[in-house]
Amino acid sequence: MSDLLWPAPTASDPVDAVVSVPGSKSATNRALVLAALADDPGFIRRPLHSRDTLLMADGLRAMGVGIESTLNSSSGVPGGGDAWRVLPAPLKGHARVDVGNAGTVMRFLPPLAALADGEVRFDGDPRSYERPLGGVISALRQLGARIDDDGRGALPLTVHGTAGLVGGTVTVDASSSSQFVSALLLSGARFQQGVEVRHSGGSGGRVPSLPHIRMTVEMLRAAGARVDAPEDGGEPDVWRVAPGALLGRDLVVEPDLSNAAPFLAAALVTAGTVVVRDWPLHTSQPGDQLRDLFTRMGGSSELTEEGLRFTGGGSVHGLDADLHDVGELAPVIAAVAALAGSPSSLRGIAHLRVHETDRLAALANEINALGGEVTETADGLEITPRPLHGGVFHTYEDHRLATAGAVLGLVTEGVLVEDIGTTAKTLPDFPGLWDSLLTGTAVKG
C-alpha cells in the first residue's frame, strides 16, 4: 500500500456544483469486447479512459485487435470527438495480457482467448490472484477450452486458443460475481453453437448485480445478437445467446452513474446541490438506483434537460436496504450512513468480500478507526452513527474505499485518505474533480 496521504477537504458551506462524470467503465469495457468480435469496424465515443479500460484495450491489442484513438470535433456527438475506433481482426495467440486488478478484464477476456489462434497468458496484480475466477475457468472447460491454472481456479493462467469453440450449454455458480455470466454471454455469439448459461445457485444463492447482466444483454442485442433472458419471460437464472455475426456500431458511452455516488453524497451530507450532467432517462446502470437510495436518506432529485439535480435536505436518515443488485454503491452509502442521524442496515452484499478488497471488513475497520460504530454481519453491515474524528483512512488499493473516505472528510476534519490515486482505476483525477466540487466550479471528468 502507498504511504501517500491525501488530506480530504472539508466543506465549509453546502456544495453547489455542476458535474460531468466520465463514461461508464462497465459500458466501455463491454463495448470494447463486442466491437472486437464484430464483423465490421466500430466507434466507441466518450469512452472512459481509466486504468481498467486501458487494460482492456491493451489486452485486446495484444490479441491482434486494432484500437485507435481519434479526435474529431465535427463528430456531431456532444463530447463525442473523443473516441476509440475498433478494427476487428482474427484473434491471435502467443500473447500476454495484464489484467491489473480489473474484474472485467480478468473475466471477459479468457473467453476471447479461447477463440484465438494460440496460447494467451493472463497475469495481474497480487490481489487479482485472490479474486474469484473459477466459475469462468470451469465454464470454459465445460465448453471445450484448455486452460492451465495449476488447479488454482485463479490467476495466473494460460488459455490455449484453438481459433474457435464449440459452445453449447454450461452450468456455472455465479453467486460470487455476475461477471461470470456476462463473460460467457459477450463471446457466446462467436461460439459455434452459441451458449446457454445456467446459474447453479450453489451455496451462495442469488446472482449479485443483476443490472450488470441486463446491461450485457442490452448491448448484445444492440450489436445484433439474439438473446433470451429471464426478464423476458424465460427460465429463471438461464441466459441464451444464439450463434451469429455481431455488428460494428457507433456507440456513445453513458456517464458512469456509480461514479456519481460521491458527488451526490456530497450534496446530501452538506445540504447542498449537485447537478450531474447527461443523466440518462432510461438506463440499465446500477448507479441509477442512487436516485431512490439517497432520496430515502433525506435528499431529493429531479431529472432536468441538463441532467440529474440532487439536493440534500439538511438532515441525513439511516437506511435499511438490500443492496445485493447494487453492491458497488455500498462503500459510499456506508460512509453517508456513518454521518446519518439514525442507524442503518445494509444487507445482501456478502459478495463484496471478494472485490478489490474485502470491502465489508475494510469499511468496518476504517469507519471504526475514525470513531464510528460499524459491525459486520453475515451479508452486510450494521452502522450506528457516532461522532467522528480525524485520522488515516486506509483504502486497500480499492477505488471505492477511497471515494468513501473523501465523503467522510467533507464533514470530518483531519481525515487523511491513503493512496487517493487508486481512484484512477475508474475515475481519473478524482482529487481535482473533488476540489472543483468544493470551489463551486464546473466539475469536468
Side-chain angles (χ1 to χ4, degrees):
M1 287 186 288
S2 170
D3 293 329
L4 297 177
L5 299 178
W6 177 69
T10 301
S12 56
D13 297 297
V15 300
D16 185 5
V18 178
V19 179
S20 294
V21 178
S24 164
K25 177 204 74 173
S26 297
T28 298
N29 276 356
R30 282 164 173 78
L32 281 167
V33 170
L34 291 172
L37 294 172
D39 280 1
D40 306 301
F43 282 92
I44 302 172
R45 302 191 187 276
R46 295 177 61 176
L48 174 66
H49 295 278
S50 72
R51 187 184 186 214
D52 278 17
T53 60
L54 295 175
L55 286 168
M56 180 67 84
D58 287 344
L60 291 169
R61 289 185 181 111
M63 287 190 278
V65 179
I67 302 176
E68 304 171 347
S69 294
T70 68
L71 285 173
N72 182 1
S73 59
S74 62
S75 67
V77 179
D82 173 21
W84 278 330
R85 184 175 183 232
V86 182
L87 304 169
L91 298 171
K92 66 180 184 180
H94 309 292
R96 298 184 65 88
V97 174
D98 176 11
V99 308
N101 192 17
T104 51
V105 182
M106 71 179 69
R107 292 160 184 155
F108 291 0
L109 289 190
L112 273 78
L115 301 173
D117 184 11
E119 67 179 39
V120 180
R121 178 71 173 172
F122 290 87
D123 208 337
D125 297 351
R127 172 62 181 174
S128 71
Y129 295 4
E130 303 172 24
R131 299 188 66 182
L133 193 56
V136 174
I137 294 170
S138 64
L140 288 174
R141 284 177 175 151
Q142 290 177 58
L143 297 172
R146 179 186 161 204
I147 300 175
D148 293 336
D149 66 339
D150 294 332
R152 289 183 301 269
L155 290 166
L157 58 84
T158 299
V159 179
H160 297 270
T162 56
L165 203 61
V166 174
T169 300
V170 64
T171 300
V172 60
D173 180 357
S175 54
S176 61
S177 177
S178 67
Q179 290 175 356
F180 293 177
V181 175
S182 288
L184 299 165
L185 299 182
L186 286 167
S187 294
R190 287 309 201 186
F191 301 163
Q192 294 170 29
Q193 298 178 6
V195 71
E196 177 182 291
V197 182
R198 292 181 168 270
H199 166 56
S200 66
S203 61
R206 298 180 293 164
V207 179
S209 304
L210 281 173
H212 280 121
I213 299 181
R214 287 194 281 273
M215 176 188 294
T216 298
V217 169
E218 290 179 8
M219 293 183 71
L220 274 162
R221 287 173 174 162
R226 290 186 291 123
V227 187
D228 294 325
E231 58 266 27
D232 304 312
E235 295 179 65
D237 291 335
V238 177
W239 296 263
R240 298 182 183 89
V241 178
L246 296 175
L247 307 174
R249 300 183 59 209
D250 194 326
L251 177 144
V252 180
V253 176
E254 293 177 352
D256 193 317
L257 305 188
S258 294
N259 276 340
F263 300 101
L264 299 182
L268 185 56
V269 302
T270 68
T273 297
V274 167
V275 175
V276 179
R277 284 192 177 124
D278 302 321
W279 195 284
L281 294 177
H282 304 285
T283 180
S284 56
Q285 288 193 60
D288 192 45
Q289 294 192 33
L290 285 167
R291 293 188 293 149
D292 171 66
L293 292 165
F294 278 168
T295 295
R296 290 164 59 186
M297 297 188 81
S300 61
S301 65
E302 177 188 8
L303 282 171
T304 69
E305 289 186 0
E306 188 173 15
L308 178 70
R309 176 180 294 274
F310 187 85
T311 302
S315 61
V316 181
H317 310 316
L319 179 70
D320 185 345
D322 185 334
L323 302 180
H324 189 260
D325 282 351
V326 293
E328 64 197 53
L329 307 180
V332 166
I333 290 174
V336 174
L339 303 171
S342 55
S344 294
S345 178
L346 309 181
R347 296 171 278 104
I349 46 177
H351 58 283
L352 296 191
R353 298 187 188 281
V354 290
H355 276 235
E356 281 80 347
T357 188
D358 179 341
R359 286 178 171 167
L360 300 187
L363 286 164
N365 289 340
E366 299 311 311
I367 294 174
N368 289 347
L370 300 182
E373 183 179 335
V374 181
T375 303
E376 292 183 64
T377 66
D379 73 337
L381 299 171
E382 298 289 334
I383 302 172
T384 301
R386 298 284 185 237
L388 300 183
H389 54 72
V392 175
F393 189 93
H394 299 93
T395 61
Y396 309 87
E397 299 180 347
D398 187 328
H399 57 130
R400 302 212 187 275
L401 263 294
T403 54
V407 170
L408 292 171
L410 281 175
V411 293
T412 307
E413 292 187 2
V415 173
L416 302 172
V417 180
E418 176 206 44
D419 191 17
I420 194 66
T422 195
T423 52
K425 187 175 194 294
T426 60
L427 193 54
D429 191 28
F430 174 77
L433 301 180
W434 203 244
D435 286 342
S436 297
L437 176 80
L438 296 180
T439 58
T441 57
V443 183
K444 296 181 179 180

